[in-house]
C-alpha cells in the first residue's frame, strides 16, 4: 500500500455518534485529504493506518460532527472581549466596579465601551445614568446589555448625543424617562441608534482581531461553522462584510461562515441590489453571503417583543402595550416574496407570537407566489401560539432555537412570566411541540448574548434546567415546562445536522459520513452514557476543520 493510500487521521477505540440516520453509531472514523474516508468498526480502518497517520484514541471519549451555531455574533463577541466586558459579572456593583476599573486603565479612550450587563441586576431591568455618572462623570459611557436590545449610558453620553426630554422616541424604540420626563440613561431597541451614530467605529485591524478572537473562542467549544446573524451596519462595530472577506483572503478564516446580510428596517426593496452584489462577491469559499436578516420585533424582558395580545402589568392587569413591529406586516409579505424569488434565504428575528405569526404569514405568501424552497428560519421563537406550531413544517420554516434561554432564571421569572401571564408563559420555547409537529430544528447561542457552549445548550434543551448545578441542586430545580424537553439525540442533531441544513452546508458537513468534510469534535466523555444532569459538564478536547486541528485543550 502506498503512502497516499493511508489515512491522515484515524479516530478509534471509542464511540462515534455520526448523526447519520442510516447509522447513528460507529467505532472508528478515518480521514484523508480533509474528508471522511471511512466510517465503521475499528477493524475497518486498520489497513488505513500508515506510518504518518495520526491516531486519536477515543477511549472514554466521544467523537461528534463539528457543532454549527445557527445564530451568533462572533466579531461583536470577540471585539467586546477586548473592551469593558461585563458578561461574566452578575451584580450592579460588579458592573460599576468593572466600568470604573476599565476607565482608569484606559485614560485615553474617548468613549467607555463594551457591554454585557443583565437586566435582572437592576430593579425592573432599568439601570440609570446616575449610577454611571458616579464612576465616570467626565467621559461618555455606552454599554449595550447582554441581549443587545438595550443600552445603558451616562449623562455625558446623553449630552454629547443631544438626547433630552424633548427628544421623541424613534418608531422602533423607546427612551426610558423618569416621572419628570428626563431620560434615565436606558435606551431600548431603535433608540440605541441615537448613540450608535456617535460612537467611534472600530478600525479594520480591530475588527480583524475581534473576528480571530471570536473564532478561537468558538472553536474551543467545538464550533466549526456558524451563521453570523448581523452582517451590515449596526451593533456599534460597523459593517463586518469585508472583515470576513479579508480573513478568508489571508487564509485565517478556519470556520465556515454563512453571512446574514442586515435588512435596514426603515428601507425597502431598493436594498436588493446591494444584497445581490454582496452575494456575488461572497458566493464561494468559507464565507458565503446568501442570507438576509430581518428583525421583526424586540425582546420580552423590555416589552418590545410583538404579542398578539398586550402585556400585563405587575398587578396582572392588561396594558395598552403589545410590543413593536419593526417592519409593517403587509410590507413584510412583499419583501419576503421578493427576497425568496431572488434566491435569498431569510433569517427572521421573531420572539413574540405576533412576530412569529407575521413571519409565517409572509412565508405563506412567498410560497404561494414562488413555490416551496428557501430554507428560511425563525430565530428565537420564544412565544409561539399553539395554532402556529404546525405551520412551521407545512411552510418549510426551520425553528432556529437558543436552548439556554429555556430555563427558570431571574430574567424569565421576574421580568417575563409575570408580564405574559400563565397561559402565554406556557407557550414559551416549544421545542418539543415543534419537533413532534415535524418542524426542522437548528440551534445557536446568540453569543455574545449568552454562552456559545453547545453542550450547555444541549443540556438545557434536554433538561429545561440550566447547566452548572450540583446533582442535588438539579433535582430540586423546577423544570421549565417539561413537556417541551428534547431527547439528547434530537438536541445534538439540532446543533449539527439541523444547523448544517440551515447554513446550506448539509451536503458537506453536519454528520459523519464518507465524503463529507472532516469537521469533527472530540469530547472528554460520552453524554449518552451518563446521567442527564451531567450533560453540561462535558468538555471539548479537540476541534478539527477538514481534518486540521483548530483547537486542542491537551
Amino acid at each position: 500500500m502506498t503512502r497516499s493510500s493511508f489515512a491522515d487521521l484515524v479516530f478509534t477505540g471509542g464511540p462515534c455518534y455520526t448523526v447519520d440516520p442510516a447509522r447513528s453509531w460507529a467505532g472508528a472514523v478515518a480521514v484523508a485529504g480533509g474528508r471522511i474516508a471511512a466510517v465503521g468498526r475499528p477493524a475497518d480502518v486498520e489497513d488505513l493506518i500508515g506510518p504518518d497517520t495520526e491516531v486519536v484514541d477515543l477511549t472514554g471519549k466521544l467523537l461528534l460532527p463539528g457543532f454549527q451555531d445557527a445564530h451568533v455574533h462572533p466579531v461583536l463577541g470577540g471585539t467586546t472581549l477586548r473592551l469593558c466586558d461585563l458578561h461574566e459579572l452578575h451584580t450592579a456593583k460588579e458592573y460599576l466596579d468593572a466600568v470604573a476599573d476599565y476607565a482608569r486603565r484606559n485614560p485615553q479612550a474617548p468613549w467607555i465601551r463594551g457591554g454585557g450587563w443583565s437586566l435582572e441586576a437592576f430593579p425592573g431591568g432599568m439601570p440609570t445614568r446616575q449610577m454611571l455618572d458616579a464612576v465616570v462623570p467626565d467621559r461618555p459611557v455606552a454599554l449595550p446589555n447582554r441581549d443587545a436590545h438595550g443600552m445603558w449610558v451616562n449623562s455625558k453620553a446623553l449630552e454629547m448625543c443631544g438626547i433630552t426630554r424633548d427628544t421623541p422616541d424613534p418608531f422602533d424604540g423607546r427612551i426610558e424617562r423618569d416621572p419628570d420626563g428626563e431620560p434615565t440613561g436606558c435606551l431600548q431597541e431603535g433608540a440605541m441608534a441615537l448613540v450608535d451614530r456617535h460612537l467611534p467605529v472600530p478600525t479594520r485591524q480591530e475588527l480583524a482581531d475581534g473576528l480571530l478572537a471570536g473564532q478561537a473562542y468558538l472553536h474551543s467549544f467545538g464550533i466549526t461553522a456558524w451563521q453570523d446573524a448581523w452582517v451590515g451596519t449596526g451593533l456599534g462595530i460597523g459593517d463586518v462584510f469585508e472583515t470576513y472577506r479579508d480573513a478568508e483572503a489571508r487564509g485565517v478564516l478556519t470556520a465556515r461562515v454563512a453571512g446574514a446580510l442586515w435588512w435596514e428596517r426603515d428601507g425597502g426593496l431598493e436594498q436588493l441590489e446591494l444584497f445581490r452584489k454582496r452575494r456575488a462577491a461572497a458566493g464561494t469559499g468559507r464565507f458565503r453571503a446568501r442570507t438576509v436578516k430581518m428583525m421583526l420585533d424586540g425582546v420580552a424582558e423590555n416589552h418590545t417583543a410583538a404579542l398578539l395580545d398586550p402585556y400585563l402589568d405587575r398587578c396582572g392587569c392588561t396594558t395598552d402595550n403589545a410590543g413593536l413591529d419593526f417592519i409593517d406586516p403587509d410590507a413584510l409579505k412583499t419583501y419576503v416574496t421578493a427576497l425568496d424569488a431572488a434566491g435569498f434565504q431569510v433569517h427572521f428575528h421573531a420572539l413574540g407570537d405576533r412576530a412569529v405569526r407575521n413571519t409565517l404569514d409572509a412565508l405563506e405568501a412567498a410560497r404561494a407566489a414562488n413555490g416551496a424552497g428557501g430554507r428560511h428560519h425563525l430565530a428565537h421563537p420564544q412565544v409561539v401560539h399553539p395554532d402556529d406550531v404546525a405551520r412551521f413544517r407545512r411552510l418549510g420554516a426551520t425553528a432556529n432555537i437558543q436552548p439556554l434561554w429555556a430555563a427558570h432564571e431571574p430574567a424569565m421569572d421576574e421580568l417575563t412570566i409575570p408580564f405574559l401571564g400563565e397561559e402565554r408563559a406556557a407557550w414559551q420555547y416549544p421545542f418539543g411541540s415543534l419537533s413532534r409537529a415535524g418542524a426542522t430544528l437548528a440551534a445557536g447561542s446568540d453569543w455574545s448574548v449568552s454562552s456559545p457552549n453547545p453542550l450547555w445548550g444541549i443540556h438545557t434543551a434536554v433538561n429545561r434546567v440550566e447547566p452548572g448545578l450540583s446533582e442535588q441542586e438539579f433535582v430540586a430545580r423546577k423544570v421549565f415546562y417539561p413537556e417541551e424537553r428534547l431527547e439528547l439525540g434530537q438536541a445534538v442533531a439540532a446543533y449539527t445536522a439541523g444547523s448544517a441544513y440551515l447554513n446550506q452546508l448539509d451536503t458537506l458537513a453536519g454528520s459523519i459520513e464518507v465524503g463529507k468534510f472532516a469537521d469533527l469534535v472530540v469530547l472528554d466523555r460520552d453524554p449518552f452514557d451518563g446521567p442527564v444532569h451531567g450533560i453540561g459538564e462535558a468538555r471539548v478536547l479537540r476541534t478539527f476543520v477538514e481534518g486540521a486541528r483548530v483547537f486542542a485543550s491537551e
Side-chain angles (χ1 to χ4, degrees):
M1 182 177 288
T2 65
R3 286 182 178 270
S4 62
S5 302
F6 293 124
D8 302 315
L9 185 61
V10 164
F11 301 87
T12 189
C16 310
Y17 187 65
T18 67
V19 198
D20 175 5
R23 177 173 52 187
S24 298
W25 291 95
V29 171
V31 175
R35 293 184 180 261
I36 306 295
V39 181
R41 303 166 300 168
D44 298 329
V45 302
E46 286 179 355
D47 291 343
L48 298 177
I49 299 175
D52 298 323
T53 302
E54 179 184 354
V55 178
V56 178
D57 181 8
L58 293 176
T59 302
K61 305 177 179 67
L62 177 67
L63 183 72
L64 288 171
F67 297 122
Q68 299 197 22
D69 194 312
H71 183 109
V72 67
H73 306 282
V75 186
L76 172 65
T79 301
T80 302
L81 288 173
R82 306 164 68 87
L83 297 173
C84 184
D85 183 14
L86 307 177
H87 286 87
E88 300 302 318
L89 306 178
H90 305 287
T91 68
K93 183 180 185 306
E94 289 175 335
Y95 297 147
L96 291 168
D97 287 347
V99 172
D101 180 65
Y102 181 86
R104 186 166 49 252
R105 289 185 291 104
N106 295 272
Q108 304 305 316
W111 283 75
I112 305 303
R113 302 180 56 204
W117 53 275
S118 290
L119 281 73
E120 61 265 25
F122 302 95
M126 302 291 179
T128 68
R129 58 185 167 84
Q130 290 89 347
M131 293 177 177
L132 287 175
D133 293 345
V135 294
V136 185
D138 56 340
R139 281 182 286 170
V141 181
L143 301 169
N145 67 16
R146 192 163 296 184
D147 62 24
H149 289 266
M151 181 182 286
W152 182 18
V153 299
N154 66 351
S155 296
K156 191 68 173 179
L158 291 171
E159 176 189 338
M160 290 183 63
C161 298
I163 302 172
T164 70
R165 61 182 299 138
D166 298 320
T167 305
D169 288 345
F171 79 94
D172 57 350
R174 184 172 68 243
I175 301 169
E176 300 293 352
R177 306 171 194 268
D178 66 19
D180 295 325
E182 296 292 338
T184 64
C186 199
L187 307 173
Q188 309 289 7
E189 302 295 346
M192 295 187 292
L194 301 174
V195 172
D196 281 341
R197 64 175 64 110
H198 296 274
L199 295 176
V201 177
T203 66
R204 181 173 179 174
Q205 187 60 52
E206 287 171 337
L207 290 177
D209 292 343
L211 171 56
L212 294 185
Q215 176 175 256
Y217 192 56
L218 294 178
H219 282 334
S220 75
F221 292 111
I223 296 167
T224 58
W226 62 74
Q227 184 156 143
D228 189 315
W230 196 319
V231 176
T233 58
L235 283 179
I237 61 170
D239 191 344
V240 300
F241 182 78
E242 294 299 337
T243 305
Y244 278 112
R245 293 190 69 206
D246 288 348
E248 182 169 21
R250 292 187 292 121
V252 295
L253 185 64
T254 48
R256 305 183 201 289
V257 181
L261 303 172
W262 180 249
W263 176 277
E264 295 292 348
R265 53 204 187 207
D266 58 351
L269 289 175
E270 74 282 352
Q271 299 176 77
L272 258 177
E273 182 180 359
L274 174 62
F275 297 153
R276 288 192 176 103
K277 289 179 180 178
R278 291 197 152 187
R279 179 172 61 185
T284 60
R286 285 189 171 170
F287 174 58
R288 302 184 180 189
R290 300 178 289 186
T291 301
V292 172
K293 166 72 177 298
M294 306 183 87
M295 183 175 285
L296 302 192
D297 66 343
V299 293
E301 293 89 343
N302 66 8
H303 302 178
T304 57
L307 300 180
L308 292 168
D309 296 303
Y311 289 90
L312 307 180
D313 62 19
R314 290 190 176 276
C315 299
C317 299
T318 301
T319 70
D320 60 358
N321 174 30
L324 300 175
D325 287 318
F326 293 158
I327 301 175
D328 175 78
D330 290 329
L332 180 67
K333 294 177 183 177
T334 300
Y335 300 155
V336 172
T337 299
L339 289 167
D340 180 69
F344 285 99
Q345 176 190 67
V346 186
H347 179 157
F348 300 93
H349 168 116
L351 272 85
D353 53 2
R354 187 171 85 240
V356 170
R357 182 164 292 177
N358 288 344
T359 300
L360 296 173
D361 288 348
L363 291 178
E364 192 164 38
R367 175 170 281 218
N370 306 326
R375 301 195 186 192
H376 309 302
H377 51 108
L378 286 74
H380 328 311
Q382 179 173 351
V383 183
V384 182
H385 192 285
D387 290 350
D388 289 320
V389 169
R391 298 180 71 196
F392 279 75
R393 181 192 63 80
R394 290 203 305 268
L395 296 171
T398 296
N400 183 343
I401 64 175
Q402 285 60 56
L404 263 180
W405 305 347
H408 283 291
E409 41 79 32
M412 175 60 68
D413 294 341
E414 299 170 13
L415 300 177
T416 304
I417 290 177
F419 303 98
L420 292 177
E422 184 176 343
E423 181 181 27
R424 278 188 304 198
W427 299 348
Q428 292 185 95
Y429 303 120
F431 308 155
S433 294
L434 287 164
S435 179
R436 289 187 292 271
T440 298
L441 301 183
S445 64
D446 206 7
W447 182 65
S448 58
V449 172
S450 46
S451 169
N453 187 348
L455 293 162
W456 282 10
I458 290 168
H459 171 102
T460 310
V462 171
N463 294 302
R464 305 282 284 200
V465 170
E466 75 271 29
L469 303 177
S470 68
E471 182 176 358
Q472 292 75 20
E473 290 171 327
F474 176 86
V475 171
R477 184 74 85 216
K478 182 180 179 182
V479 177
F480 186 75
Y481 305 106
E483 65 276 10
E484 299 300 348
R485 289 179 288 200
L486 296 177
E487 298 294 331
L488 179 53
Q490 292 175 306
V492 170
Y495 274 98
T496 53
S499 291
Y501 170 82
L502 180 151
N503 287 329
Q504 302 177 71
L505 292 170
D506 48 311
T507 61
L508 302 173
S511 60
I512 302 176
E513 299 178 65
V514 172
K516 288 192 172 183
F517 284 127
D519 295 354
L520 304 166
V521 58
V522 178
L523 305 186
D524 68 349
R525 70 195 73 186
D526 179 1
F528 289 92
D529 193 32
V532 292
H533 66 77
I535 294 171
E537 297 173 6
R539 296 292 180 267
V540 170
L541 297 179
R542 300 184 190 182
T543 306
F544 298 85
V545 175
E546 290 185 39
R549 187 186 295 110
V550 295
F551 170 77
S553 66
E554 303 166 324

